[in-house]
Structures are given as C-alpha cells and as structure tokens.
Amino acid sequence: MKPMQEPGEHEALPCLGCGTTDMHSNPGPVPRLRSILRIVALCVVLLGLGFAVARAQAGELPRDSTYHLAVPLVDQDARGFTYADGRGRARIVSMFYTSCKYVCPLIIDTLLKTERGLAPAERARIDVLLVSLDPDNDTPDALKRVADKRHLDTARWRLARTDKAHVRTLAALLGIQYKQLESREFSHSSALVLLDAEGRVVARTDRLGEADPDFVAAARRVLGAN
C-alpha cells in the first residue's frame, strides 16, 4: 500500500486566478498559463491586423462608387461580364437602344467626338459602355451590327444588354430617365456619365452633337490622376 501523505506534503495545485500555488504549498514559480494567454491574445490581434491589411490590399470600393451595384451584362460578342468589371480604368457610360433613329446615333457621335478631344495616349486609357434600354430586341447580334456599322473600337467599347429589372436599376443609378412608348420606341435622356477608376461619378453632360469642353476637361483630369 502507498503510504498516506502527511498534511503539507500533498502536491501543490496552481491557482488559476492569481498565478500562485495553493495556500497549502510553498511559493513556487508563476505558472505559464498567463504567458500562454498573452501569446494567444497577441496572435488574435495580429490575425485581425492581417485581415485588415488583406482587405486594404484587395481594395474595398469607396462608399460612393457605382460599382457596388451588381449588374450582369452581355456584350456585342456574347461575352458575359458585370458592370463592376470596369473598375481600374476611367469609363464613360450611357444608355441607348439599337433601333433608335435619332437620339441614340447622336449619342454615339458625341462619344466619338469626345474621344477625339483627348490625346491618343489618353484615349487608349478610357473605356465606353453603352447599355441597351431594350433587352427584348437588342440581342448580341443587334449590338454587334451597330458596333460594326459605326466602326467602334471594341477593345475599349462595349455595347451591352441586361434584363429589364437591371436596366431600371442602372438607369436610376446613373440618373438616366426613360419610358417605353406605345410605338415600342423609347423616350429617354441622353446623359453621358464619366466614372473614375473606382466607379465614382466625376462628371456628366447632356450635350449632343458636339463634345462638351467641360466634360472633356474632366476626362483629362481623371486620366491624369490614374
């Protein structure tokens, strides 16, 4: 049989609250528990900082960016993309429809003249997005016919369609008003909207038929800031 321990001879137990042994033992080394807890807490803090740095590196969108809006699109080459895929480059956005005979051709004319107001190096760094107001009829083939007829640079220009719900949402976001008439044509505003690389609205113009000098100047400033 194992002999019974005398009082005071039992193994000392650590007090987790104060970091000392129990009152029946002689004072001993402070247990490592508190040091371990400090290390764990430090790791948690460092992990949180790591997540914060990762978010910063990923580049969270500014609060006023229009790219918070999730809009699926299909372009003239039947390629799927999203509205926010334009992030990283300056962009001019407008809305149109392919069967329009008057205002929409003028929108394209004005966009082309606006581009001509930029230096070639500037022009190469700005994109154009035209979203159809008439998704029922503006198939990728219909969009491509317009792009080909107008000799648009489809490396930078995208003519796109989405569903009716997203047409309404995008038009509201860009401040473009439209209404379908009994003739199935559309009455709509002709705004050109300039976005910076983060999708923030920098300038807009309703001038048609000629480049708006203030709008061109705003585009130059945006391109210069990139």
Side-chain angles (χ1 to χ4, degrees):
M1 282 182 71
K2 183 179 179 180
M4 184 177 297
Q5 290 180 315
E6 294 296 329
E9 293 181 355
H10 64 280
E11 187 176 341
L13 298 176
C15 171
L16 299 183
C18 62
T20 62
T21 55
D22 72 3
M23 61 185 204
H24 297 294
S25 66
N26 295 324
V30 176
R32 298 178 60 192
L33 180 60
R34 286 196 297 178
S35 296
I36 293 172
L37 291 175
R38 290 192 190 101
I39 293 171
V40 171
L42 179 60
C43 289
V44 170
V45 172
L46 291 175
L47 185 61
L49 289 174
F51 281 129
V53 170
R55 286 197 301 270
Q57 291 176 341
E60 292 183 349
L61 285 169
R63 290 185 180 181
D64 55 349
S65 172
T66 64
Y67 290 155
H68 287 291
L69 181 67
V71 177
L73 298 163
V74 177
D75 71 8
Q76 70 276 354
D77 295 315
R79 295 175 300 186
F81 67 108
T82 69
Y83 172 66
D85 285 347
R87 188 182 187 191
R89 286 170 59 90
R91 181 194 248 181
I92 302 174
V93 184
S94 190
M95 303 186 79
F96 82 128
Y97 64 106
T98 63
S99 61
C100 177
K101 296 178 175 62
Y102 305 107
V103 174
C104 299
L106 276 175
I107 289 175
I108 295 177
D109 286 342
T110 306
L111 285 165
L112 290 168
K113 289 178 180 179
T114 299
E115 285 196 326
R116 292 187 196 113
L118 301 172
E122 293 172 327
R123 194 180 311 146
R125 293 167 47 225
I126 192 165
D127 296 331
V128 177
L129 174 65
L130 284 171
V131 179
S132 172
L133 296 165
D134 187 15
D136 288 342
N137 297 299
D138 283 346
T139 63
D141 285 342
L143 297 169
K144 186 169 179 58
R145 283 194 295 271
V146 172
D148 291 344
K149 181 179 179 180
R150 300 304 304 268
H151 305 290
L152 303 178
D153 179 5
T154 53
R156 296 184 301 102
W157 285 61
R158 299 188 93 165
L159 281 58
R161 67 183 303 277
T162 186
D163 57 72
K164 289 184 177 180
H166 285 108
V167 167
R168 288 192 295 270
T169 304
L170 185 59
L173 181 71
L174 298 175
I176 295 175
Q177 299 179 337
Y178 74 100
K179 179 181 180 181
Q180 189 166 23
L181 307 176
E182 291 183 4
S183 62
R184 309 304 294 171
E185 294 183 347
F186 290 82
S187 172
H188 62 96
S189 56
S190 55
L192 308 183
V193 182
L194 174 65
L195 306 179
D196 68 9
E198 292 298 309
R200 292 171 291 208
V201 176
V202 176
R204 62 186 297 121
T205 182
D206 294 301
R207 184 179 296 188
L208 286 182
E210 60 181 355
D212 182 335
D214 292 336
F215 191 81
V216 173
R220 283 178 172 164
R221 286 194 299 272
V222 167
L223 292 167
N226 288 347

